[in-house]
Amino acid sequence: RVFGRHTRCFVVGEQPLSSDGNCDTSTDILIKDAWPEVSGSAEDDMRDESKLLDQVSKGLEGRSEFEGLYPKFLGGGRMQIQDAHGEGVEDTTQTVLGETVWAQLGDLPLRAHMRIAMSGVGEPLKFIKFIPELIVVIYDVMRCHMGILKHCQILHRDISEANILVRRDDTGVHGMIIDFDLAINITDDGYAKRAERTGTRPFMSVNNLEDEPTKRTALDDWESIIYILCWLGTFGWNSDTRPAGSMSNWKIASWDGNNAMKIAEAKRDHMDSSRTFTGITKGFNLNIPDIRRLAKVVEGLQGVLIDNHKDSTLRGAMIIPDSIPEEDESDNAFGEHEYKMCPDPFVERAAHWETISESLLAKLEIYAQGAKKLLTDI
């Protein structure tokens, strides 16, 4: 298998990773070794995670409010190997296979061997102990996400369960956002410079799933956060919170699969209103302590993103006819009718991404403050 990402991470530090989530790994160094897809040379590659991490580290330098919430770039980039003549060449799938074999394989994406050193190490979400901890972690991740957007002009584009880590220190539990290999620079207006399908299927926004040339914004990542919380509320995050039974027993199961358009259709239906969205939150695992508190959080975020807009074109998730034509009075019962369609609310909201994102972060901050108070009593 020479065509996968093959990501491996190695922790370098004096403190071993704990099994209970109590180890402070903030001073450890992590080496990430992977084979990401690349576009063009190392100098021109817009997907180069090492450059994006360097940009993040420089943009957030000196901003203490984001300290520990993102990995700091220490060095790295594309790896080189020696060819048969002793010359240094980039370690790519093309150089590994050779020009002749590579030409015979067709339009395969080029992958380059990348190695990056970074500081700040966290642990997976499975080490979350309580719902209030999860809420605090998600708030930290999204306030850092918005800080990176504002100060570094980078949109993450792959908010997923695997790209959120938990970090603990003397002040409590914190969240950490990682994995910037699908991130992209934004325009001065806050839009991603390319509109393309990226992300992890169950957590991808409707815009990403449908892969239309709709402008991608921070709202796509906020939408992903709602899907992540719904997923965790239903299926849990470790063996203690995982429900019994088949995944297919829940409505949310339609968010996963191979057909992106069917997933988008299901998400439009579920997200359209507070009424349809409760069909998802009612499926949360009631055996998880404080699960209704998590349901309140995601319902509040869905309300800010989808429901609570004075402008009707910004509300909802479905594209519906704005007017129904009168019944055809001619003899031709199958005559053509012209339907006037309402604007796509996901497209309309993209133009208001900044104010809606600010409202979402403010809403999540309120929930996080309440969660922190609960944690002091535990």
Short mmCIF file of all heavy atoms in Angstrom, two decimals, residues 219 302-316 345 349 352 355-356 359:
data_model
loop_
_atom_site.label_atom_id
_atom_site.label_comp_id
_atom_site.label_asym_id
_atom_site.label_seq_id
_atom_site.Cartn_x
_atom_site.Cartn_y
_atom_site.Cartn_z
N LEU A 219 -18.39 28.81 8.91
CA LEU A 219 -19.66 28.17 9.23
C LEU A 219 -19.66 26.69 8.88
O LEU A 219 -20.35 25.89 9.51
CB LEU A 219 -20.81 28.88 8.52
CG LEU A 219 -21.08 30.33 8.93
CD1 LEU A 219 -22.34 30.85 8.25
CD2 LEU A 219 -21.20 30.46 10.45
N GLN A 302 -27.44 24.71 17.05
CA GLN A 302 -28.25 24.56 15.84
C GLN A 302 -29.18 25.75 15.68
O GLN A 302 -29.39 26.24 14.56
CB GLN A 302 -29.04 23.25 15.89
CG GLN A 302 -29.84 22.92 14.65
CD GLN A 302 -31.24 23.55 14.64
OE1 GLN A 302 -31.72 24.03 15.68
NE2 GLN A 302 -31.88 23.58 13.49
N GLY A 303 -29.70 26.23 16.78
CA GLY A 303 -30.59 27.38 16.73
C GLY A 303 -29.90 28.62 16.20
O GLY A 303 -30.43 29.35 15.36
N VAL A 304 -28.66 28.87 16.67
CA VAL A 304 -27.91 30.04 16.23
C VAL A 304 -27.54 29.91 14.76
O VAL A 304 -27.63 30.88 13.99
CB VAL A 304 -26.64 30.23 17.09
CG1 VAL A 304 -25.79 31.38 16.54
CG2 VAL A 304 -27.03 30.52 18.54
N LEU A 305 -27.13 28.73 14.35
CA LEU A 305 -26.69 28.53 12.97
C LEU A 305 -27.86 28.49 11.99
O LEU A 305 -27.79 29.08 10.91
CB LEU A 305 -25.90 27.22 12.85
CG LEU A 305 -25.41 26.84 11.45
CD1 LEU A 305 -24.42 27.89 10.92
CD2 LEU A 305 -24.77 25.45 11.45
N ILE A 306 -28.95 27.86 12.36
CA ILE A 306 -30.03 27.56 11.41
C ILE A 306 -31.31 28.36 11.65
O ILE A 306 -31.90 28.91 10.71
CB ILE A 306 -30.38 26.05 11.45
CG1 ILE A 306 -29.15 25.20 11.15
CG2 ILE A 306 -31.52 25.74 10.50
CD1 ILE A 306 -28.64 25.29 9.74
N ASP A 307 -31.76 28.45 12.88
CA ASP A 307 -33.13 28.91 13.18
C ASP A 307 -33.27 30.39 13.49
O ASP A 307 -34.21 31.04 13.03
CB ASP A 307 -33.70 28.12 14.36
CG ASP A 307 -34.17 26.73 13.95
OD1 ASP A 307 -34.39 26.52 12.75
OD2 ASP A 307 -34.29 25.87 14.84
N ASN A 308 -32.37 30.92 14.29
CA ASN A 308 -32.60 32.23 14.93
C ASN A 308 -32.15 33.40 14.04
O ASN A 308 -31.26 34.17 14.39
CB ASN A 308 -31.88 32.30 16.28
CG ASN A 308 -32.32 31.18 17.20
OD1 ASN A 308 -33.39 30.61 17.04
ND2 ASN A 308 -31.50 30.87 18.18
N HIS A 309 -32.79 33.55 12.89
CA HIS A 309 -32.46 34.63 11.97
C HIS A 309 -33.72 35.40 11.61
O HIS A 309 -34.75 34.80 11.25
CB HIS A 309 -31.81 34.09 10.69
CG HIS A 309 -30.58 33.28 10.93
ND1 HIS A 309 -29.37 33.85 11.30
CD2 HIS A 309 -30.35 31.94 10.86
CE1 HIS A 309 -28.47 32.90 11.44
NE2 HIS A 309 -29.03 31.73 11.17
N LYS A 310 -33.65 36.72 11.71
CA LYS A 310 -34.80 37.54 11.33
C LYS A 310 -35.06 37.46 9.83
O LYS A 310 -36.20 37.48 9.37
CB LYS A 310 -34.56 39.00 11.75
CG LYS A 310 -34.52 39.20 13.26
CD LYS A 310 -34.30 40.66 13.61
CE LYS A 310 -34.26 40.87 15.12
NZ LYS A 310 -34.02 42.30 15.47
N ASP A 311 -33.99 37.36 9.06
CA ASP A 311 -34.09 37.24 7.61
C ASP A 311 -34.48 35.81 7.27
O ASP A 311 -33.73 34.86 7.54
CB ASP A 311 -32.76 37.60 6.97
CG ASP A 311 -32.82 37.62 5.44
OD1 ASP A 311 -33.78 37.08 4.88
OD2 ASP A 311 -31.89 38.17 4.83
N SER A 312 -35.63 35.62 6.66
CA SER A 312 -36.14 34.27 6.38
C SER A 312 -35.24 33.51 5.41
O SER A 312 -35.23 32.27 5.42
CB SER A 312 -37.56 34.35 5.81
OG SER A 312 -37.58 35.07 4.59
N THR A 313 -34.47 34.21 4.57
CA THR A 313 -33.60 33.51 3.62
C THR A 313 -32.43 32.83 4.31
O THR A 313 -31.76 31.97 3.71
CB THR A 313 -33.05 34.48 2.55
OG1 THR A 313 -32.23 35.47 3.18
CG2 THR A 313 -34.19 35.15 1.80
N LEU A 314 -32.16 33.21 5.57
CA LEU A 314 -31.06 32.61 6.32
C LEU A 314 -31.50 31.44 7.17
O LEU A 314 -30.67 30.72 7.72
CB LEU A 314 -30.39 33.66 7.22
CG LEU A 314 -29.87 34.93 6.56
CD1 LEU A 314 -29.21 35.82 7.59
CD2 LEU A 314 -28.89 34.60 5.45
N ARG A 315 -32.81 31.24 7.28
CA ARG A 315 -33.34 30.18 8.13
C ARG A 315 -33.50 28.87 7.37
O ARG A 315 -33.78 28.85 6.18
CB ARG A 315 -34.67 30.58 8.74
CG ARG A 315 -34.58 31.66 9.79
CD ARG A 315 -35.84 31.71 10.64
NE ARG A 315 -37.03 31.99 9.84
CZ ARG A 315 -37.51 33.21 9.62
NH1 ARG A 315 -36.88 34.27 10.13
NH2 ARG A 315 -38.60 33.39 8.90
N GLY A 316 -33.37 27.77 8.14
CA GLY A 316 -33.65 26.46 7.58
C GLY A 316 -32.47 25.83 6.89
O GLY A 316 -31.36 26.36 6.84
N PRO A 345 -30.37 28.25 1.87
CA PRO A 345 -29.99 28.96 3.11
C PRO A 345 -28.52 28.77 3.47
O PRO A 345 -27.92 29.67 4.08
CB PRO A 345 -30.90 28.35 4.17
CG PRO A 345 -31.43 27.09 3.58
CD PRO A 345 -31.46 27.29 2.10
N ARG A 349 -26.27 32.05 4.11
CA ARG A 349 -25.59 32.27 5.40
C ARG A 349 -24.10 32.51 5.23
O ARG A 349 -23.48 33.17 6.07
CB ARG A 349 -25.84 31.08 6.33
CG ARG A 349 -27.22 31.06 6.97
CD ARG A 349 -27.32 30.03 8.08
NE ARG A 349 -27.29 28.67 7.57
CZ ARG A 349 -28.36 27.95 7.27
NH1 ARG A 349 -29.57 28.47 7.43
NH2 ARG A 349 -28.24 26.71 6.84
N HIS A 352 -22.84 35.88 5.61
CA HIS A 352 -22.93 36.45 6.96
C HIS A 352 -22.11 35.61 7.95
O HIS A 352 -22.41 35.58 9.14
CB HIS A 352 -24.40 36.48 7.41
CG HIS A 352 -25.30 37.26 6.49
ND1 HIS A 352 -25.54 38.61 6.64
CD2 HIS A 352 -26.00 36.86 5.39
CE1 HIS A 352 -26.37 39.02 5.69
NE2 HIS A 352 -26.66 37.98 4.91
N THR A 355 -20.66 37.37 11.50
CA THR A 355 -21.58 37.67 12.61
C THR A 355 -22.18 36.39 13.19
O THR A 355 -22.35 36.28 14.40
CB THR A 355 -22.70 38.61 12.14
OG1 THR A 355 -23.36 38.04 11.00
CG2 THR A 355 -22.15 39.97 11.77
N ILE A 356 -22.49 35.42 12.32
CA ILE A 356 -23.06 34.17 12.82
C ILE A 356 -22.01 33.40 13.63
O ILE A 356 -22.31 32.83 14.69
CB ILE A 356 -23.59 33.30 11.66
CG1 ILE A 356 -24.73 34.03 10.94
CG2 ILE A 356 -24.08 31.95 12.17
CD1 ILE A 356 -25.24 33.31 9.70
N SER A 359 -21.71 34.87 17.06
CA SER A 359 -22.85 34.48 17.89
C SER A 359 -22.70 33.04 18.36
O SER A 359 -23.04 32.71 19.51
CB SER A 359 -24.15 34.64 17.10
OG SER A 359 -24.38 35.99 16.75
#
